[in-house]
Amino acid sequence: MLIPCPWCGEREDNEFTYGGPAQVAYPSDPEAADDASWARYVFFRANPKGKLAERWVHSAGCRRWFNVVRDTVTHQITPA
Amino acid sequence: MIAEAVRRSPFAGYAERFAALSEATGGELTIRVLPFATQLNLRMDPKNLSLVQRISEVLGFGLPVTPNTVGAKGDRRALWLGPDEWLAVGPDGQQDELTQALTSAFNGALGSVTDVSANRTLLEIRGAKARELLAHGLAIDLDPRLFGPGRCAQTLLAKAQVIVERRDESGFVIYVRASFAAYVATWLLDALAE
């Protein structure tokens, strides 16, 4: 799989490290959040079949984080 | 008895085997362990144009702001490592002098200069077969149209993270982390056999 790094261009996936789904909103009022809502924030993810926004870091290259949208069925990547 | 601190290249034990293999290929491929170099990690904001100007004056050439390119003049060069990160390379012994010159060029702007000379060790791979050898372990396209002289890339050579710099049409320099040197050396010798 080739992943498009916004700085270095397309590189093989073994140069990258996965950072989980992107756009997971931090609790708006963390002081008031109870255990259940923290658990939901920390552990619960949508796991869709289809397009998923993800975080990746070009760990063997320029070491910069970026977002892409990957289709979990076809692995087709479109820049976020 | 006082022990004397002697600097030894991580590739030192392989120099002879490289030389012998280079001879065996009849000059089609030479691998040479390069001498120690001054290597400084430079971090700063490239959008601060007056700072880029001042740093460029210290280096003697324009700081490369295009991803994966190299700026060079004489024996000094700067490799793009990230949007706000560079590796300045020069002859050994200039560490303090260059660090001081670059630091004073900041003139209050945010940034850092760190001496990383002992971090990576340099290996030159040169000759008509150089590209073919490296292609055994590099996933990037080494075609001169995409990766010509003046280009560099951080990528994986076999399983080791390296910086590859194309010096000219047939010459590459790889910057290998000291602890990976033995692995890269044995991998290269093995790949040479193919």
Side-chain angles (χ1 to χ4, degrees):
Chain A
M1 183 167 77
L2 292 174
I3 298 173
C5 168
W7 299 101
C8 303
E10 287 196 336
R11 296 289 184 90
E12 281 208 341
D13 59 358
N14 60 358
E15 291 187 12
F16 296 85
T17 307
Y18 186 54
Q23 299 157 8
V24 178
Y26 191 73
S28 55
D29 186 2
E31 297 281 327
D34 58 4
D35 283 358
S37 53
W38 271 117
R40 189 149 285 281
Y41 165 68
V42 175
F43 301 112
F44 283 61
R45 294 295 179 263
N47 194 24
K49 182 178 181 182
K51 289 193 170 170
L52 174 64
E54 293 176 330
R55 302 277 291 150
W56 286 89
V57 59
H58 194 187
S59 42
C62 61
R63 294 178 302 286
R64 293 315 184 277
W65 283 94
F66 57 93
N67 287 10
V68 296
V69 174
R70 180 177 62 98
D71 192 303
T72 55
V73 180
T74 61
H75 291 312
Q76 196 161 47
I77 288 178
T78 42
Chain B
M1 198 174 128
I2 300 163
E4 196 189 343
V6 180
R7 279 198 304 174
R8 191 168 170 277
S9 164
F11 280 124
Y14 296 91
E16 274 178 32
R17 290 172 70 187
F18 284 146
L21 271 155
S22 305
E23 207 164 309
T25 61
E28 280 205 305
L29 186 74
T30 53
I31 301 182
R32 200 160 62 91
V33 181
L34 294 186
F36 295 112
T38 292
Q39 296 176 66
L40 303 177
N41 186 283
L42 168 68
R43 300 211 59 173
M44 51 166 258
D45 181 7
K47 289 196 214 79
N48 186 341
L49 295 179
S50 65
L51 177 58
V52 172
Q53 177 69 30
R54 289 198 299 276
I55 293 288
S56 300
E57 275 166 24
V58 170
L59 291 169
F61 52 84
L63 189 70
V65 288
T66 311
N68 297 313
T69 57
V70 183
K73 193 178 183 189
D75 48 14
R76 214 174 253 181
R77 50 214 316 112
L79 283 69
W80 185 99
L81 294 186
D84 56 2
E85 190 174 7
W86 292 266
L87 184 72
V89 185
D92 190 32
Q94 294 186 351
Q95 280 89 342
D96 293 342
E97 179 198 330
L98 195 55
T99 305
Q100 238 162 33
L102 288 170
T103 310
S104 56
F106 279 132
N107 197 14
L110 289 178
S112 71
V113 181
T114 316
D115 183 0
V116 292
S117 303
N119 187 351
R120 297 189 183 88
T121 180
L122 281 64
L123 201 64
E124 184 192 57
I125 302 173
R126 175 170 292 284
K129 289 265 166 75
R131 182 180 154 192
E132 201 182 319
L133 171 68
L134 286 172
H136 273 94
L138 285 176
I140 57 168
D141 193 343
L142 296 173
D143 190 298
R145 281 168 294 182
L146 292 166
F147 196 77
R151 305 274 310 180
C152 67
Q154 299 165 89
T155 182
L156 295 171
L157 175 63
K159 285 177 183 170
Q161 202 235 318
V162 297
I163 307 174
V164 190
E165 181 198 350
R166 189 161 202 155
R167 285 274 165 100
D168 50 55
E169 202 57 44
S170 61
F172 298 86
V173 171
I174 55 173
Y175 299 66
V176 187
R177 292 202 192 273
S179 52
F180 278 96
Y183 167 77
V184 168
T186 43
W187 182 87
L188 283 170
L189 289 165
D190 180 63
L192 268 169
E194 285 183 22

